[in-house]
Amino acid sequence: MARAGLTAERVVRAAADLADEVGFDNITVSALARSFGVKDASLYSHVKNVRDLRTRVAVLAAGELADRIGAAVAGRAGKDALAAFAGAYRDFALERPGRYAATQIQLDPAAVAESPGHLRNVEYTYGMLRAYGLSEPDLTDAVRLLRSTFHGFVSLESTGGFGHSRDVRASWDRSVDALHTLLEHWTS
Amino acid sequence: MARAGLTAERVVRAAADLADEVGFDNITVSALARSFGVKDASLYSHVKNVRDLRTRVAVLAAGELADRIGAAVAGRAGKDALAAFAGAYRDFALERPGRYAATQIQLDPAAVAESPGHLRNVEYTYGMLRAYGLSEPDLTDAVRLLRSTFHGFVSLESTGGFGHSRDVRASWDRSVDALHTLLEHWTS
DNA sequence: GGCTGTAACCTAGAGGCCCTAGGAAAGGAG
DNA sequence: CTCCTTTCCTAGGGCCTCTAGGTTACAGCC
């Protein structure tokens, strides 16, 4: 019979798509095998186990997020860069919820060190803050506040945590504005 | 043979404890039954299914969080109340990670409406902001920013998202301070 | 075209989890 | 002591993960 032509890469990409559909926590090698018209056991030659599959999806997703953020902040600085970063971040989280969730799981440090996407995201964040002229430990405090707010917002938004009728996008823009003024007066 | 003396309440409480140990996503009726020395099927007279179990844990946890926050903000206002709220929130999230995760899952609106804990948490949040004299839509924007930052921070912290050596508690205090000044000048 | 080696893919099966249907037994009310 | 309610059980089906070991498609080479 004709082969499906599986590859570790194709399997991981399909898993990421599946995650965007049913949620990252609900990806299963059974469903993945079904989508390829293949038996479960066949996938275990491309992927060690579910845990391995998840970390591979995380690495892939972090790379895609980094691509978007990198494109958004290219050639920008200050408030302009902050707004572009924020927009790319939120868009990615809302358009690719499974992939976004994947970027947030904890990997062993070794895996993170080998994931270009994870590293690039950190670099972009620190790079974006360069224009505000902060130095340690203020810089790291600011990075943590930014990451917390961004992640918390899209996390609450995508789990339906915002019940009020107020337009969510408007709240987001307002928050990003507020963070900008905060960063400008961070040291005082 | 001697009975375990199960009750819906005891089952849910044990599930919450289990969640704090192994993570909310990893609670399983099998493990729960094992901890009671009882067969899986026995739990289904107290709980409809896993989904039901999870929402009950969520309701319990939201109530406990509300208790802590309520006690913390009692008799305080302004920056004092904000700091107390933030401290109670973070402490709960770090001490009871499974319960905290439970408070963040999305329930159908009907379940939320019947959960005193969820409602009280919303009230405490809006109440805490009263001292800053905001009116809609600024008020809701501010609530969303606060919730995002709080949730994002403890979420990243507990999943090991903060790799830098900078003391995490210090970053938290700094962020809460920053949010306070932000709220004071929100309308400008 | 046939041969061969390396994937890719398979069957078989063990073990865990969720959940239902229906039966047995403990403990209280009368 | 009897009856009734509730607790807990056995039996079993379905879906999932993962391993061990056997086939079979396909590419490259003669």
Coordinates of all heavy atoms in Angstrom, one line a residue, chain A residues 1 4 6 29-30 32-46, chain C residues 9-13, chain D residues 17-19:
Chain A
M1 N 0.8 -1.2 0.0 CA 0.0 0.0 0.0 C 0.9 1.3 0.0 O 2.0 1.2 0.4 CB -0.9 0.0 1.2 CG -0.2 0.0 2.5 SD -1.2 -0.6 3.9 CE -1.1 -2.4 3.6
A4 N 2.6 6.9 3.7 CA 2.2 8.3 4.1 C 3.3 9.3 3.9 O 3.1 10.5 3.8 CB 1.6 8.3 5.5
L6 N 6.0 9.8 6.1 CA 6.2 10.5 7.4 C 7.6 10.9 7.6 O 8.5 10.3 7.1 CB 5.7 9.6 8.5 CG 4.2 9.3 8.6 CD1 3.8 8.7 9.9 CD2 3.4 10.5 8.3
V29 N -1.0 11.0 20.3 CA -0.4 10.3 19.1 C -1.4 9.5 18.4 O -1.3 9.3 17.2 CB 0.8 9.5 19.5 CG1 1.5 10.0 20.8 CG2 0.5 8.0 19.6
S30 N -2.5 9.0 19.1 CA -3.6 8.3 18.4 C -4.2 9.2 17.3 O -4.4 8.8 16.2 CB -4.6 7.8 19.4 OG -4.0 6.9 20.2
L32 N -3.1 11.9 16.0 CA -2.1 12.2 15.0 C -2.0 11.1 14.0 O -2.0 11.4 12.8 CB -0.8 12.5 15.8 CG 0.2 13.4 15.1 CD1 -0.5 14.7 14.8 CD2 1.4 13.6 16.0
A33 N -1.9 9.9 14.5 CA -1.8 8.7 13.6 C -3.0 8.6 12.7 O -2.9 8.4 11.5 CB -1.6 7.5 14.4
R34 N -4.2 8.9 13.3 CA -5.4 8.8 12.5 C -5.4 9.9 11.4 O -5.8 9.6 10.2 CB -6.6 9.1 13.4 CG -7.3 7.9 13.9 CD -8.7 8.2 14.5 NE -8.6 9.2 15.6 CZ -8.3 8.9 16.9 NH1 -8.1 7.7 17.2 NH2 -8.3 9.9 17.8
S35 N -4.9 11.1 11.7 CA -4.8 12.1 10.7 C -3.9 11.8 9.5 O -4.1 12.3 8.4 CB -4.4 13.4 11.3 OG -3.0 13.5 11.5
F36 N -3.0 10.9 9.7 CA -2.1 10.4 8.7 C -2.6 9.1 8.1 O -2.0 8.6 7.1 CB -0.7 10.2 9.2 CG 0.1 11.5 9.4 CD1 0.5 12.0 10.6 CD2 0.5 12.2 8.2 CE1 1.3 13.1 10.7 CE2 1.2 13.4 8.3 CZ 1.6 13.8 9.6
G37 N -3.6 8.5 8.6 CA -4.1 7.3 8.1 C -3.1 6.1 8.4 O -2.9 5.3 7.6
V38 N -2.6 6.2 9.6 CA -1.5 5.3 10.0 C -1.7 4.7 11.4 O -2.5 5.3 12.1 CB -0.2 6.1 9.9 CG1 0.8 5.7 10.9 CG2 0.4 6.1 8.5
K39 N -1.1 3.6 11.7 CA -1.3 3.1 13.1 C -0.5 3.9 14.1 O 0.6 4.4 13.7 CB -0.9 1.6 13.1 CG -1.8 0.7 12.2 CD -3.2 0.7 12.7 CE -4.1 0.0 11.7 NZ -5.5 0.0 12.1
D40 N -0.9 3.8 15.3 CA -0.2 4.6 16.4 C 1.3 4.2 16.4 O 2.1 5.1 16.5 CB -0.8 4.2 17.8 CG -2.2 4.6 17.9 OD1 -2.9 4.8 16.9 OD2 -2.7 4.6 19.0
A41 N 1.6 2.9 16.4 CA 3.0 2.5 16.6 C 3.9 3.1 15.5 O 5.1 3.2 15.8 CB 3.0 1.0 16.6
S42 N 3.3 3.4 14.4 CA 4.2 3.9 13.3 C 4.9 5.3 13.6 O 5.9 5.6 13.1 CB 3.3 4.1 12.0 OG 2.7 2.9 11.7
L43 N 4.2 6.0 14.5 CA 4.8 7.4 14.8 C 6.0 7.3 15.7 O 6.8 8.2 15.8 CB 3.7 8.2 15.5 CG 2.5 8.6 14.6 CD1 1.6 9.6 15.2 CD2 3.0 9.1 13.2
Y44 N 6.1 6.1 16.4 CA 7.2 6.1 17.4 C 8.5 5.8 16.8 O 9.5 5.7 17.5 CB 6.8 5.0 18.4 CG 5.7 5.4 19.4 CD1 4.4 5.1 19.1 CD2 6.0 6.1 20.6 CE1 3.4 5.5 20.0 CE2 5.0 6.5 21.4 CZ 3.7 6.2 21.1 OH 2.7 6.6 22.0
S45 N 8.6 5.7 15.5 CA 9.9 5.7 14.8 C 10.4 7.1 14.5 O 11.6 7.4 14.3 CB 9.9 4.9 13.6 OG 8.6 4.6 13.1
H46 N 9.4 8.1 14.6 CA 9.8 9.5 14.3 C 9.9 10.3 15.6 O 10.5 11.4 15.6 CB 8.8 10.1 13.4 CG 8.7 9.3 12.1 ND1 7.6 8.4 11.9 CD2 9.4 9.3 11.0 CE1 7.8 7.9 10.7 NE2 8.9 8.4 10.1
Chain C
dC9 P 5.3 5.9 6.5 OP1 4.5 6.3 5.4 OP2 5.6 6.8 7.6 O5' 4.7 4.5 7.1 C5' 4.2 3.5 6.2 C4' 4.0 2.2 6.9 O4' 5.2 1.8 7.5 C3' 3.0 2.3 8.1 O3' 1.7 1.8 7.7 C2' 3.7 1.4 9.2 C1' 4.9 0.8 8.5 N1 6.0 0.6 9.4 C2 6.4 -0.7 9.7 O2 5.9 -1.6 9.1 N3 7.5 -0.9 10.5 C4 8.0 0.1 11.1 N4 9.0 -0.1 12.0 C5 7.7 1.5 10.9 C6 6.6 1.7 10.0
dC10 P 0.6 1.5 8.9 OP1 -0.7 1.6 8.2 OP2 0.9 2.4 10.0 O5' 0.8 0.0 9.3 C5' 0.7 -1.0 8.3 C4' 1.1 -2.4 8.9 O4' 2.5 -2.3 9.3 C3' 0.3 -2.7 10.1 O3' -0.8 -3.5 9.8 C2' 1.3 -3.5 11.0 C1' 2.6 -3.1 10.4 N1 3.5 -2.4 11.4 C2 4.3 -3.2 12.3 O2 4.2 -4.4 12.3 N3 5.1 -2.5 13.2 C4 5.1 -1.2 13.2 N4 6.0 -0.6 14.1 C5 4.3 -0.4 12.3 C6 3.6 -1.1 11.4
dT11 P -2.0 -3.8 10.9 OP1 -3.2 -4.1 10.1 OP2 -2.0 -2.6 11.8 O5' -1.5 -5.1 11.7 C5' -0.9 -6.2 11.0 C4' -0.5 -7.2 12.0 O4' 0.7 -6.7 12.7 C3' -1.5 -7.5 13.1 O3' -1.4 -8.9 13.4 C2' -1.0 -6.7 14.3 C1' 0.5 -6.7 14.1 N1 1.2 -5.5 14.6 C2 2.3 -5.7 15.5 O2 2.6 -6.8 15.9 N3 2.9 -4.5 15.9 C4 2.5 -3.2 15.5 O4 3.1 -2.2 15.9 C5 1.4 -3.1 14.6 C7 1.0 -1.8 14.1 C6 0.8 -4.2 14.2
dA12 P -2.5 -9.6 14.4 OP1 -2.7 -11.0 14.0 OP2 -3.7 -8.7 14.5 O5' -1.7 -9.5 15.8 C5' -0.4 -10.0 15.9 C4' 0.1 -10.0 17.3 O4' 0.8 -8.7 17.6 C3' -1.0 -10.1 18.4 O3' -0.6 -11.0 19.4 C2' -1.2 -8.7 18.9 C1' 0.2 -8.1 18.8 N9 0.3 -6.7 18.6 C8 -0.5 -5.9 17.9 N7 -0.2 -4.6 17.9 C5 0.9 -4.6 18.7 C6 1.7 -3.5 19.2 N6 1.5 -2.3 18.8 N1 2.8 -3.9 20.0 C2 3.0 -5.1 20.3 N3 2.2 -6.2 20.0 C4 1.2 -5.9 19.2
dG13 P -1.6 -11.4 20.6 OP1 -1.2 -12.8 21.0 OP2 -2.9 -11.0 20.3 O5' -1.1 -10.5 21.8 C5' 0.4 -10.4 22.0 C4' 0.6 -9.3 23.1 O4' 0.6 -8.0 22.4 C3' -0.5 -9.2 24.2 O3' 0.1 -9.1 25.4 C2' -1.3 -8.0 23.8 C1' -0.1 -7.1 23.3 N9 -0.5 -5.9 22.5 C8 -1.6 -5.8 21.7 N7 -1.7 -4.6 21.2 C5 -0.6 -3.9 21.7 C6 -0.2 -2.5 21.6 O6 -0.8 -1.6 20.9 N1 0.9 -2.2 22.4 C2 1.6 -3.1 23.1 N2 2.6 -2.7 23.8 N3 1.2 -4.4 23.3 C4 0.1 -4.7 22.6
Chain D
dT17 P -1.9 9.0 23.2 OP1 -1.4 10.4 23.4 OP2 -2.0 8.4 21.9 O5' -1.0 8.1 24.1 C5' -0.6 8.5 25.4 C4' 0.3 7.4 26.0 O4' -0.3 6.1 25.9 C3' 1.6 7.3 25.2 O3' 2.7 7.4 26.2 C2' 1.6 5.9 24.6 C1' 0.6 5.2 25.5 N1 -0.1 4.1 24.8 C2 0.0 2.8 25.3 O2 0.8 2.5 26.2 N3 -0.7 1.8 24.6 C4 -1.6 2.0 23.6 O4 -2.2 1.1 23.0 C5 -1.7 3.4 23.1 C7 -2.6 3.7 22.0 C6 -1.0 4.4 23.8
dC18 P 4.2 7.8 25.7 OP1 4.9 8.4 26.8 OP2 4.0 8.5 24.4 O5' 4.8 6.3 25.4 C5' 4.7 5.4 26.4 C4' 5.0 4.0 25.9 O4' 3.9 3.5 25.2 C3' 6.2 3.9 24.8 O3' 7.3 3.4 25.5 C2' 5.6 3.1 23.7 C1' 4.4 2.5 24.3 N1 3.3 2.1 23.4 C2 2.8 0.8 23.4 O2 3.3 0.0 24.1 N3 1.8 0.5 22.5 C4 1.3 1.4 21.7 N4 0.3 1.1 20.8 C5 1.8 2.8 21.7 C6 2.7 3.1 22.6
dT19 P 8.6 3.0 24.7 OP1 9.8 3.3 25.5 OP2 8.6 3.6 23.3 O5' 8.5 1.4 24.5 C5' 8.1 0.6 25.6 C4' 8.2 -0.8 25.2 O4' 7.0 -1.3 24.5 C3' 9.4 -1.2 24.3 O3' 10.0 -2.4 24.8 C2' 8.8 -1.4 23.0 C1' 7.4 -1.9 23.3 N1 6.3 -1.5 22.3 C2 5.4 -2.5 21.9 O2 5.5 -3.6 22.3 N3 4.5 -2.1 21.0 C4 4.4 -0.8 20.5 O4 3.5 -0.5 19.7 C5 5.4 0.2 20.9 C7 5.3 1.6 20.4 C6 6.3 -0.3 21.8

